[in-house]
Amino acid sequence: MIEIKNLSFSFGDKVIFDDFSLKIPDKSVTAITGKSGCGKTTLINLICGLLKADKGEIVSKAEKYAVVFQEDRLLPWYTVKENISTVSDGETADLWLKKVRLSDSADLYPSQLSGGMKRRTALARALAYGGEVLILDEAFNGVDEETKTILIDIIREQATEKAVILISHNSDEIQRLADRVEQI
């Protein structure tokens, strides 16, 4: 479980969180939703330790967080398989390429991919990395419905083993995937 206790955080004079608390259980999908600019991405950056809270604490036993950021963050000089292999071995990369249906694209570079293929590569990399928490920040943008259904099934399977945090504005994705929804 991740427990956020009395968290406060600001960017200069702009207060993002003031005495904010939240519990995120293990082995489930928690969707975090809210208006644009309300702090959803900031919250996951705080959870992962990429930002430091002004006050409060985040208690988590997790040592590894696998994250699919809003941006794909793929290395343009690496192929799809090489991007995934940066966090795993070739065999693990092949396994996740197959699961996200990108085996035929393993030797392509990010510039040769569609937006949905880039999202699947970023997701496969996060899944290959492993960790105790999987964080998905608008992870399905640009993915067609048939492929999204396959990816949602993969995420549901992951949630039987770890905490999954889904940041999304898409009510259909939230309804299909989330065990609980937190509005911030």
Side-chain angles (χ1 to χ4, degrees):
M1 175 184 304
I2 299 170
E3 188 171 0
I4 300 163
K5 300 179 183 179
N6 309 106
L7 184 77
S8 294
F9 181 80
S10 299
F11 284 117
D13 292 338
K14 182 170 171 66
V15 176
I16 308 298
F17 296 106
D18 184 24
D19 201 31
F20 177 79
S21 296
L22 175 67
K23 290 182 182 177
I24 299 170
D26 292 331
K27 298 182 180 180
S28 67
V29 179
T30 300
I32 298 175
T33 188
K35 294 180 181 179
S36 294
C38 73
K40 298 179 300 293
T41 298
T42 299
L43 181 62
I44 63 170
N45 286 327
L46 287 159
I47 290 170
C48 294
L50 299 173
L51 294 172
K52 185 171 175 9
D54 300 331
K55 288 181 5 187
E57 65 179 324
I58 298 172
V59 180
S60 174
K61 292 180 182 174
E63 294 182 15
K64 283 176 64 175
Y65 298 87
V67 182
V68 178
F69 293 96
Q70 283 184 14
E71 315 81 24
D72 302 311
R73 298 190 183 186
L74 301 177
L75 301 170
W77 52 87
Y78 280 173
T79 64
V80 168
K81 182 175 179 176
E82 289 169 336
N83 264 282
I84 298 166
S85 296
T86 61
V87 299
S88 67
D89 57 42
E91 187 176 322
T92 302
D94 287 336
L95 168 78
W96 287 110
L97 280 168
K98 183 176 181 181
K99 285 190 176 195
V100 302
R101 296 192 172 180
L102 281 175
S103 295
D104 293 345
S105 303
D107 295 327
L108 298 179
Y109 290 89
S111 63
Q112 298 172 295
L113 303 176
S114 70
M117 293 168 79
K118 290 176 185 177
R119 297 310 289 157
R120 286 187 282 154
T121 302
L123 179 60
R125 182 179 55 197
L127 293 166
Y129 179 68
E132 299 89 359
V133 179
L134 175 62
I135 299 174
L136 308 169
D137 193 355
E138 304 290 351
F140 303 113
N141 287 347
V143 177
D144 66 85
E145 285 303 314
E146 180 182 336
T147 304
K148 188 186 297 186
T149 298
I150 292 163
L151 299 179
I152 285 173
D153 288 344
I154 291 169
I155 302 307
R156 295 292 305 145
E157 182 180 314
Q158 291 293 303
T160 65
E161 303 170 7
K162 62 183 77 181
V164 177
I165 301 170
L166 171 69
I167 305 293
S168 180
H169 290 106
N170 186 306
S171 58
D172 179 60
E173 291 171 9
I174 292 168
Q175 184 178 6
R176 290 167 63 188
L177 195 51
D179 297 309
R180 52 195 300 261
V181 179
E182 296 290 339
Q183 179 85 28
I184 61 171

